[in-house]
Amino acid sequence: MYIDGVDKSWLETDLFSHHFKVKDASHIEKLKRLGIKHVVIDTVKGRDLPKDKGITRDVSAGKDNKESAAAAPAKPAESTIIKPAEPKVDLYTPEEMKRYCETIDSFSQIEKEALIKGSFINFSIFLKKHLNIAMLTEYKNKDIEITDDILSTDGELLIDRNDTHKYTRYIKDLIFSKILDSDVNVKHLKGLLIRENSKLIVRELFDDPRSGETIHKTRGSVEEIVGSIQDNKQITTSLLTINKHDYYTYTHSVNVCVLSIGLAIALEMFNEKEINNIGIGSLLHDIGKSAIPIEILNKPTLLTEKEFSIMKQHVTFGKKILSFHDAMPKDAYHPILEHHERLTGDGYPSSLTGQELHTSGKIAAIVDTYDALTTARPYKDALSSFESLSMIKGQVNNYDSEIVKKFILMLGSIR
Ligand SMILES: [Fe+2]
């Protein structure tokens, strides 16, 4: 069989490529050792599954059975309906939640993979575990060396949001330094830098949604993302935040933007200008959340019905924000206004049906759901990419099945 993708990102495995022919059992053993449970196969380049067998297999479950060890779905089966685990409730006291809601916005999440052993930083790092945030290493006017101790820490790394420019400067310096050992690292860091700069712009816009200057910056940022993906599709993995331990609107916005652009390119039905506009709209799809009270926006437990009805207003708030910006291309409105609509008319805010939705709105709906499902929250674990796609594919009436198919193929091709 020819493997054309696995259920782990390229960054999470030491496989040279995620596209190869399975020649013998040792290949399968290696996949198991890497924790890979599902693979995508290309039935043109290799053998298909036996017709009489189910199409969902688990490589870790196959023991010595060659068929079940090697076989996996080319796409998630419709019979593979995965339901989210029951959310954990009553996890935190009201005081803990209040403190978290009020403080989390003063931090920025950073990537452990951007910190290179032996390099030096000029900012403090904090460690977040559940709702607790504590100083990991403090900058006191003396550069801090990145050591194994810092890199092996368990938990999410944060920095003071005022230090974000120091962090992006650090990445820029790394790109031009000799400390990196390969071309791959440089390419990855360049993608990561574009990602961090885009996050900064979304954050600026959340602070001041009326700023025409910041809206203008989104155009440049999106053009950079589109250009990078067109140059090299594999950079998509560097532009995305893959291990999402908690939900951050800025991280989510950039992920939805990158995936929407990738999907728009894969669909081969938009010109360059339209792809850029889809990128702008998807980067700003949740801009209306800037008007949602922080105790609801940052709440680390499930929202009550009343809170959820307030949260849902972010789409109409987004529409209002758009009205401040005459220069905003009209095409960019669709992802903002339609990302919570569903083909059945069961979405919000306008209960639009499939025929009324723009293709870019349908793209945003799929990508937004996918990124939310693959993100952990304090009250729920993240689903794997495979589980999330299976869940979306199972909702055949809600999401455009042709676009979902393309999305699955696109994700398989960037791993
Ligand atoms: Fe939203």
Side-chain angles (χ1 to χ4, degrees):
M1 278 177 182
Y2 186 88
I3 293 200
D4 203 28
V6 301
D7 66 353
K8 282 196 175 293
S9 85
W10 181 75
L11 297 167
E12 293 172 289
T13 72
D14 63 357
L15 291 172
F16 180 71
S17 164
H18 284 184
H19 313 275
F20 57 90
K21 199 163 197 165
V22 173
K23 292 192 181 125
D24 53 41
S26 69
H27 257 135
I28 297 164
E29 284 308 315
K30 178 159 188 187
L31 295 179
K32 285 192 215 172
R33 275 201 309 278
L34 292 170
I36 291 165
K37 291 188 175 169
H38 300 100
V39 296
V40 175
I41 57 167
D42 185 333
T43 54
V44 175
K45 294 181 184 166
R47 286 166 66 180
D48 197 356
L49 296 170
K51 288 270 182 292
D52 59 332
K53 303 285 181 186
I55 68 167
T56 300
R57 307 288 171 75
D58 185 333
V59 293
S60 63
K63 275 206 161 178
D64 294 317
N65 178 335
K66 195 176 170 190
E67 258 180 13
S68 66
K75 54 199 175 188
E78 280 183 17
S79 58
T80 315
I81 307 293
I82 294 168
K83 294 200 169 72
E86 284 296 308
K88 304 158 195 168
V89 291
D90 298 333
L91 286 174
Y92 309 107
T93 64
E95 292 74 34
E96 282 176 313
M97 288 204 286
K98 187 168 183 287
R99 196 174 55 227
Y100 177 81
C101 292
E102 287 171 356
T103 55
I104 190 65
D105 278 343
S106 55
F107 293 95
S108 285
Q109 162 219 17
I110 65 163
E111 305 293 327
K112 214 176 264 183
E113 72 210 39
L115 302 176
I116 306 293
K117 188 180 166 184
S119 64
F120 289 86
I121 54 171
N122 59 349
F123 47 86
S124 302
I125 299 180
F126 299 81
L127 185 65
K128 175 172 169 281
K129 277 186 181 176
H130 305 291
L131 299 196
N132 300 316
I133 300 169
M135 175 76 75
L136 177 67
T137 175
E138 189 177 9
Y139 175 71
K140 291 181 190 161
N141 296 320
K142 187 173 181 290
D143 287 355
I144 302 165
E145 184 175 359
I146 300 297
T147 60
D148 281 333
D149 278 353
I150 296 174
L151 296 175
S152 60
T153 317
D154 184 30
E156 193 173 13
L157 300 186
L158 305 177
I159 57 173
D160 187 310
R161 70 173 284 187
N162 295 323
D163 285 339
T164 310
H165 286 101
K166 288 185 179 177
Y167 172 60
T168 52
R169 179 78 246 172
Y170 163 78
I171 300 172
K172 256 184 218 168
D173 289 346
L174 272 182
I175 291 169
F176 294 105
S177 75
K178 292 198 173 117
I179 200 166
L180 299 174
D181 53 10
S182 75
D183 195 35
V184 175
N185 270 339
V186 174
K187 282 188 186 142
H188 175 55
L189 284 175
K190 282 184 180 168
L192 209 143
L193 190 59
I194 295 173
R195 183 215 295 180
E196 291 306 315
N197 283 330
S198 305
K199 272 163 65 179
L200 271 176
I201 292 169
V202 179
R203 200 157 195 167
E204 274 177 38
L205 211 52
F206 261 68
D207 289 343
D208 183 7
R210 290 192 186 215
S211 166
E213 197 189 328
T214 317
I215 283 282
H216 186 71
K217 282 194 216 166
T218 62
R219 191 180 289 273
S221 183
V222 164
E223 281 172 8
E224 202 166 14
I225 293 171
V226 174
S228 311
I229 297 175
Q230 281 171 334
D231 276 355
N232 173 15
K233 198 164 60 170
Q234 298 308 327
I235 203 169
T236 310
T237 50
S238 308
L239 294 168
L240 292 169
T241 304
I242 291 163
N243 296 315
K244 292 161 291 173
H245 304 285
D246 200 352
Y247 177 87
Y248 299 94
T249 311
Y250 326 103
T251 306
H252 171 70
S253 299
V254 175
N255 270 11
V256 169
C257 172
V258 170
L259 290 171
S260 296
I261 288 171
L263 184 48
I265 293 172
L267 283 166
E268 297 177 334
M269 57 189 287
F270 300 106
N271 64 34
E272 180 104 9
K273 191 175 160 200
E274 288 167 331
I275 291 170
N276 280 319
N277 290 342
I278 289 171
I280 294 171
S282 50
L283 187 66
L284 304 180
H285 77 284
D286 269 344
I287 189 63
K289 284 189 178 171
S290 57
I292 300 291
I294 54 159
E295 60 274 19
I296 295 178
L297 188 63
N298 294 339
K299 191 178 175 192
T301 56
L302 277 181
L303 298 181
T304 63
E305 214 165 297
K306 192 174 168 206
E307 288 165 341
F308 187 55
S309 68
I310 295 171
M311 182 68 111
K312 282 162 91 174
Q313 293 176 27
H314 76 275
V315 182
T316 33
F317 291 150
K319 188 177 180 181
K320 196 162 183 197
I321 291 167
L322 286 175
S323 68
F324 300 137
H325 300 287
D326 295 339
M328 177 74 84
K330 293 287 173 271
D331 273 359
Y333 279 41
H334 298 289
I336 300 169
L337 301 181
E338 298 170 19
H339 69 279
H340 287 294
E341 299 287 358
R342 298 294 177 257
L343 304 188
T344 46
D346 286 340
Y348 65 88
S350 306
S351 303
L352 299 176
T353 57
Q355 287 142 329
E356 296 166 297
L357 292 167
H358 191 270
T359 307
S360 62
K362 294 177 188 173
I363 291 175
I366 293 164
V367 170
D368 179 55
T369 304
Y370 172 81
D371 194 66
L373 290 173
T374 52
T375 304
R377 303 298 301 264
Y379 54 87
K380 76 158 182 84
D381 295 328
L383 291 187
S384 72
S385 174
F386 181 84
E387 290 166 329
S388 305
L389 290 172
S390 300
M391 194 183 280
I392 292 169
K393 195 163 187 302
Q395 294 184 35
V396 281
N397 298 325
N398 277 334
Y399 302 100
D400 186 300
S401 56
E402 289 306 310
I403 303 178
V404 172
K405 266 186 215 165
K406 261 287 187 248
F407 186 48
I408 292 168
L409 288 172
M410 184 204 88
L411 287 176
S413 72
I414 58 170
R415 286 184 172 142

